[in-house]
Amino acid sequence: MEKIGLNEIREAYLGFFESKGHLRLPSFSLVPKNDKGLLIINAGMAPLKPYFTGLQVPPSTRVTTCQKCVRTGDIENVGKTSRHGTFFEMLGNFSFGDYFKNEVIPWAWEFITEVLKLPKDRLYVTIYLDDDEAFKIWTEKAGVDPKRIFRLGKEDNFWEIGKGPCGPCSEIHYDRGEGVVTTVDEFLKAADEDRIVEFWNLVFTQFDKDENGNYNKLSKPNIDTGMGLERIAGIMQNKYSIFEVDTIRKILDEVCKISKREYGKSKTEDISIRIITDHIRSTTFMISDDILPSNEGRGYVLRRLLRRASRHGKLLGIEGSFLGGLCDVVIENSFKAYPELKEKRNI
Ligand code: SER
């Protein structure tokens, strides 16, 4: 398995799905359009909901994107762990009533084992309890060893977020540990301990959940997949922590430089360094999508992130304003994929 940079993985993924007939679209804005239930885009499929429900006609029935996402539900854990963050990029390929399980499963396997060259003996697959169709395709078409497939319930293998398109899913996991996991219990324990990490979720979107919690069958089944770019980059770069991934480490190093601190020397300082590193990513991207600090909604989320970053800067002893300088590292890292970062640099 070759080490490969985060930006190169993004390109490899989008190029792979273009070769499978997908239209590559740029990331949508973090500001949802016509979605009253959602404050900030939090998944690759979120801006595509009208295409799944048939409310709008997609520009192609096969689309691939790398979507910028912000999730602040776990904000209290950010900095304390090596894997939580408020900003992430989600790679995805989508079928709007076009292909289904028969195509997406072998493609996913081809991408991870032939393009990324992940070793098969480190991969596990989970499927929804009674999804025998997925089991058959994973074993017979993709050639996955049946012993490496586990069946999990609704909590793990049924994807839904509020109301909207949802369905059973199949997840792909990477094992960083030694030895083979043979039972569901062993699998769940290893996943809990972060030995096994989930990195790609293939959702077989068949329902539209309404406000009353009813699952209404969609007229045509769809595919929605999501792969956390930072997470797969960590796997490819053999790093446990998202803060050690190449592009993110550049930001972290700059935080250390301006605070004159060395990462890894003090537990509390490391937390502050990670919080600033994460929050400068989310805030730079939010501002480039025209979100401004305010007392409510998205603006409040931005204000809170900026305040937290600034407070942790003070805790590290940084004097004066420093966040603007850090934005430049975020822009430099990502402007090729997100040109709006450069276009909006001076607002
Ligand atoms: N919707 C799924 C997720 O966000 C797959 O894209 O994980």
Side-chain angles (χ1 to χ4, degrees):
M1 179 166 113
E2 272 169 51
K3 275 204 175 155
I4 160 168
L6 178 140
N7 285 323
E8 288 73 43
I9 296 172
R10 186 196 301 108
E11 186 50 40
Y13 183 97
L14 297 171
F16 177 82
F17 281 101
E18 277 182 317
S19 80
K20 306 289 184 198
H22 290 63
L23 172 70
R24 180 197 298 219
L25 293 180
S27 172
F28 289 79
S29 164
L30 281 167
V31 180
K33 282 204 175 72
N34 302 323
D35 192 340
K36 287 203 188 90
L38 192 62
L39 207 55
I40 305 177
I41 294 297
N42 57 4
M45 60 76 72
L48 305 170
K49 281 184 202 166
Y51 301 147
F52 285 116
T53 54
L55 215 62
Q56 280 175 25
V57 180
S60 162
T61 53
R62 297 180 180 191
V63 163
T64 185
T65 61
C66 183
Q67 176 65 45
K68 44 192 169 182
C69 300
V70 169
R71 283 187 197 173
T72 53
D74 271 338
I75 193 166
E76 296 304 333
N77 283 326
V78 174
K80 293 184 190 152
T81 74
S82 59
R83 62 185 178 87
H84 284 93
T86 58
F87 179 81
F88 62 96
E89 297 177 54
M90 192 178 268
L91 296 162
N93 55 286
F94 308 94
S95 156
F96 308 112
D98 186 320
Y99 61 85
F100 200 47
K101 291 180 194 176
N102 246 319
E103 290 78 15
V104 76
I105 289 175
W107 285 344
W109 198 246
E110 181 185 340
F111 180 70
I112 57 177
T113 60
E114 289 176 32
V115 180
L116 296 184
K117 300 194 170 34
L118 288 174
K120 290 181 187 165
D121 61 3
R122 290 209 168 264
L123 297 171
Y124 291 98
V125 168
T126 56
I127 57 174
Y128 186 57
L129 286 174
D130 61 359
D131 197 348
D132 295 330
E133 189 188 13
F135 183 82
K136 202 165 174 321
I137 301 169
W138 277 115
T139 50
E140 290 178 13
K141 276 194 101 168
V144 175
D145 179 350
K147 292 199 206 80
R148 306 191 74 88
I149 303 179
F150 296 109
R151 293 175 187 257
L152 299 178
K154 196 165 177 217
E155 206 173 290
D156 294 289
N157 278 84
F158 190 96
W159 195 86
E160 57 188 330
I161 191 165
K163 64 185 186 75
C166 56
C169 61
S170 201
E171 293 185 312
I172 311 175
H173 308 252
Y174 183 80
D175 188 357
R176 300 176 133 132
E178 296 310 320
V180 185
V181 163
T182 54
T183 64
V184 170
D185 287 345
E186 279 174 19
F187 175 85
L188 290 173
K189 184 168 177 280
D192 250 12
E193 291 165 353
D194 278 348
R195 165 185 158 177
I196 292 183
V197 281
E198 179 266 320
F199 64 93
W200 200 353
N201 187 6
L202 316 180
V203 184
F204 312 126
T205 311
Q206 295 162 51
F207 306 107
D208 187 17
K209 189 178 179 186
D210 64 27
E211 46 281 342
N212 301 319
N214 301 315
Y215 294 95
N216 304 304
K217 214 164 188 297
L218 290 164
S219 57
K220 283 189 199 153
N222 306 285
I223 290 295
D224 150 31
T225 88
M227 170 154 36
L229 179 54
E230 292 78 359
R231 209 174 266 189
I232 188 69
I235 291 170
M236 296 305 294
Q237 295 171 17
N238 204 14
K239 305 285 188 203
Y240 267 79
S241 163
I242 54 165
F243 295 93
E244 294 292 342
V245 164
D246 58 339
T247 49
I248 305 174
R249 179 73 206 209
K250 278 192 199 159
I251 306 169
L252 185 143
D253 284 343
E254 190 63 22
V255 176
C256 290
K257 198 170 133 200
I258 57 177
S259 61
K260 304 190 185 67
R261 306 285 151 165
E262 204 179 320
Y263 189 55
K265 283 269 139 98
S266 143
K267 216 173 156 193
T268 44
E269 285 178 8
D270 283 355
I271 292 176
S272 293
I273 293 168
R274 285 193 289 262
I275 287 176
I276 299 169
T277 302
D278 168 72
H279 289 10
I280 199 65
R281 298 179 76 216
S282 39
T283 53
T284 305
F285 274 90
M286 286 169 84
I287 294 167
S288 79
D289 278 336
D290 299 325
I291 302 173
L292 292 172
S294 78
N295 289 336
E296 53 179 18
R298 283 181 284 279
Y300 180 71
V301 175
L302 174 62
R303 201 178 79 163
R304 184 163 175 227
L305 289 163
L306 286 169
R307 278 192 167 168
R308 279 170 56 98
S310 161
R311 185 159 56 83
H312 282 278
K314 288 213 174 76
L315 289 174
L316 289 177
I318 307 176
E319 282 166 21
S321 55
F322 64 97
L323 295 173
L326 288 175
C327 288
D328 282 334
V329 190
V330 179
I331 296 170
E332 208 44 47
N333 269 339
S334 304
F335 79 91
K336 288 201 179 104
Y338 305 96
E340 63 275 20
L341 287 172
K342 231 177 197 170
E343 285 155 22
K344 300 280 177 65
R345 188 182 176 283
N346 292 326
I347 59 169

